[in-house]
């Protein structure tokens, strides 16, 4: 409900990023932006897991916020503002299975509720290597109903209207790594007022990304694991037994 309420007023918070819009354009783009958020919200608010393998389930019915670390400091990810205060260019690098992709779905939804920015979530493994990263961002907006004229898209990029979430850098084909790396760096330099957050497994290749800060996902503590288990829709007797084992030494 919080997200659905935020969608309704999203354009009023966002339209300051768009220049030279007349009254008619403001109405049309306002409707288009709401349609974009409705479409992408539906896609990112549900998820399949090992437990919920047969049909998508509401993310926040069981989601447990993870924490990340930067130079020994712990940062909560429950609010995306905690992350973007660290800088406009971030890499969240951790091993497979720590929940990076699920975190990015949460960050997309949280951008809607807690900021005035336009969220864009892209899975890098789906990129067409014949197009640029900038083209893919623009395409993601237009394909989901927010059909901006290219000049307004560029204006809004210059103004820093976006939180751009690029998930799965480590899933790119090896042949595409150099091209996509250079394009991400170039895009983030060209439009440096936007927020860029990339997820990946750890890579020495990031040493050359001089403007990016690298954050590390932290393992869940016992209380977080217990909360997660208790929120899952599963056989209650199995849940209770498993939680008892966690408390008595399994963790």
């Amino acid at each position: 409900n919080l997200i659905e309420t935020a969608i309704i007023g999203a354009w009023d918070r966002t339209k300051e990023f768009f220049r030279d819009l007349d009254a008619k354009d403001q109405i049309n783009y306002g409707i288009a932006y709401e349609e974009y958020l409705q479409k992408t919200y539906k896609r990112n608010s549900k998820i399949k897991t090992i437990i919920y393998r047969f049909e998508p389930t509401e993310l926040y019915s069981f989601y447990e916020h993870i924490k990340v670390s930067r130079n020994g400091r712990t940062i909560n990810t429950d609010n995306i503002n905690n992350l973007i205060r660290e800088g406009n260019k971030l890499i969240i690098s951790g091993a497979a299975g720590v929940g990076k992709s699920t975190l990015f779905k949460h960050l997309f939804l949280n951008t809607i509720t807690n900021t005035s920015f336009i969220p864009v979530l892209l899975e890098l493994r789906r990129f067409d290597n014949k197009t640029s990263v900038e083209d893919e961002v623009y395409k993601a907006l237009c394909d989901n109903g927010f059909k901006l004229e290219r000049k307004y898209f560029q204006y809004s990029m210059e103004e820093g209207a976006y939180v751009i979430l690029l998930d799965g850098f480590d899933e790119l084909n090896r042949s595409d790594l150099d091209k996509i790396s250079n394009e991400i760096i170039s895009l983030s330099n060209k439009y440096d007022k936007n927020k860029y957050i990339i997820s990946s497994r750890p890579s020495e290749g990031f040493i050359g990304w001089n403007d990016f800060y690298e954050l590390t996902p932290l393992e869940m503590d016992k209380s977080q694991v217990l909360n997660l288990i208790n929120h899952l829709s599963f056989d209650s007797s199995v849940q209770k037994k498993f939680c008892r084992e966690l408390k008595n030494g399994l963790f």
Side-chain angles (χ1 to χ4, degrees):
N1 288 338
L2 182 64
I3 293 171
E4 289 172 350
T5 301
I7 287 173
I8 294 171
W11 178 249
D12 287 336
R13 301 193 305 273
T14 302
K15 64 184 179 183
E16 64 184 87
F17 293 115
F18 294 82
R19 292 187 258 167
D20 304 328
L21 289 178
D22 59 26
K24 182 180 178 181
D25 281 339
Q26 286 204 26
I27 293 171
N28 290 338
Y29 282 134
I31 294 170
Y33 183 44
E34 187 172 320
E35 181 182 346
Y36 166 77
L37 290 181
Q38 292 284 2
K39 282 186 176 181
T40 51
Y41 159 67
K42 286 178 182 177
R43 183 179 308 123
N44 292 303
S45 63
K46 294 187 177 183
I47 190 172
K48 283 186 176 181
T49 68
I50 293 173
I51 297 293
Y52 305 122
R53 66 179 66 190
F54 298 113
E55 61 182 67
T57 301
E58 291 288 343
L59 177 67
Y60 287 131
S61 67
F62 64 90
Y63 181 68
E64 185 68 23
H65 297 289
I66 65 171
K67 299 175 182 178
V68 296
S69 173
R70 177 184 170 193
N71 293 331
R73 288 189 298 107
T74 298
I75 303 163
N76 289 316
T77 63
D78 56 339
N79 189 323
I80 192 171
N81 287 300
N82 295 335
L83 290 178
I84 60 182
R85 273 195 289 267
E86 298 294 317
N88 284 358
K89 304 176 185 182
L90 305 174
I91 300 167
I92 296 179
S93 64
V98 298
K100 299 187 295 296
S101 292
T102 311
L103 168 64
F104 269 45
K105 287 182 179 290
H106 156 67
L107 295 179
F108 178 92
L109 301 173
N110 198 250
T111 299
I112 300 173
T113 56
N114 285 347
T115 79
S116 61
F117 299 112
I118 299 169
V120 180
L121 173 56
L122 299 174
E123 295 177 330
L124 288 170
R125 63 187 171 86
R126 298 183 186 276
F127 268 31
D128 180 351
N129 63 8
K130 296 178 182 177
T131 61
S132 69
V133 175
E134 181 176 340
D135 287 338
E136 291 288 343
V137 174
Y138 181 56
K139 184 174 182 292
L141 294 166
C142 294
D143 285 354
N144 289 286
F146 196 19
K147 299 187 188 305
L148 286 169
E149 290 181 46
R150 187 80 186 211
K151 67 175 182 178
Y152 289 126
F153 168 67
Q154 291 171 331
Y155 285 161
S156 58
M157 287 285 285
E158 290 168 1
E159 292 297 311
Y162 299 90
V163 171
I164 299 172
L165 301 157
L166 301 173
D167 185 32
F169 181 84
D170 55 298
E171 296 180 46
L172 285 166
N173 292 325
R174 281 170 113 26
S175 59
D176 296 334
L177 277 176
D178 287 343
K179 174 182 180 292
I180 301 298
S181 294
N182 291 333
E183 287 187 3
I184 292 172
I185 293 169
S186 177
L187 184 71
S188 66
N189 289 334
K190 180 180 179 182
Y191 302 116
D192 59 356
K193 292 182 181 179
N194 298 288
K195 319 299 179 185
Y196 301 88
I197 308 179
I198 293 114
S199 77
S200 177
R201 297 185 191 189
S203 170
E204 292 185 359
F206 292 133
I207 293 172
W209 296 38
N210 295 323
D211 295 336
F212 282 78
Y213 296 102
E214 199 161 345
L215 311 177
T216 304
L218 298 176
E219 295 178 354
M220 287 185 177
D221 59 30
K222 187 187 291 187
S223 65
Q224 288 175 301
V225 173
L226 289 169
N227 283 337
L228 176 59
I229 299 302
N230 284 320
H231 280 108
L232 294 174
S233 179
F234 201 71
D235 185 303
S236 60
S237 62
V238 174
Q239 278 179 305
K240 289 176 182 177
K241 182 178 179 181
F242 188 55
C243 287
R244 188 164 58 247
E245 295 291 339
L246 284 170
K247 292 175 182 177
N248 293 336
L250 180 62
F251 183 78

